Amino acid sequence: MERTIQLMETHLNIDLGNPPFLKLDNGLQIPYSSIKGITTGRPIPNAFKLYGFSFGGIRNGLFRFNGGYHLYFFNNEVDTLHFDLNNFHVGKFKISKLIIDVKNPEEISKTISERLT
């Protein structure tokens, strides 16, 4: 499943497909003001799964790590984009990190970072 990111004027639209464990049919709309930072690379390996799927290098769902809630949507942990979030809620959970797999994560990271300044 390829994730798509649309850069809008005030927020990002992230299409996650139709994750089977979470009701995110409309994807995520993340205001730029909620993004504290963006990086690329390998994800945090020891997060505790709350809802979703975790097998080998594949992660899809809601995870808990160091007291924060994370959303992971990746099948390829190498080509991942990491969003550090502030005041972003999905349902009743305050999400502190979103990690998704995308093509060309470095290029996308640079483009989004330019919008954050």
Side-chain angles (χ1 to χ4, degrees), residues 51-62:
Y51 301 106
F53 179 77
S54 174
F55 182 76
I58 300 172
R59 305 270 190 281
N60 288 293
L62 180 67

Side-chain angles (χ1 to χ4, degrees), residues 13-44:
N13 280 336
I14 301 177
D15 182 4
L16 300 168
N18 189 11
F21 302 103
L22 299 169
K23 293 190 184 257
L24 298 172
D25 299 334
N26 296 327
L28 296 172
Q29 292 75 39
I30 303 175
Y32 293 121
S33 61
S34 292
I35 301 173
K36 292 191 303 187
I38 184 168
T39 58
T40 61
R42 291 192 179 270
I44 301 163

Side-chain angles (χ1 to χ4, degrees), residues 92-103:
K92 65 180 181 176
F93 299 102
K94 182 179 177 184
I95 305 300
S96 61
K97 186 171 276 296
L98 168 67
I99 301 177
I100 60 172
D101 58 352
V102 294
K103 290 183 181 178

Side-chain angles (χ1 to χ4, degrees), residues 1-3 5 39-43 57 73-83 98-109:
M1 164 71 213
E2 184 176 330
R3 320 285 182 224
I5 299 175
T39 58
T40 61
R42 291 192 179 270
F73 295 98
F74 59 87
N75 297 325
N76 175 1
E77 65 184 24
V78 176
D79 293 328
T80 54
L81 196 56
H82 304 234
F83 294 93
L98 168 67
I99 301 177
I100 60 172
D101 58 352
V102 294
K103 290 183 181 178
N104 304 316
E106 291 83 13
E107 182 181 318
I108 294 171
S109 173

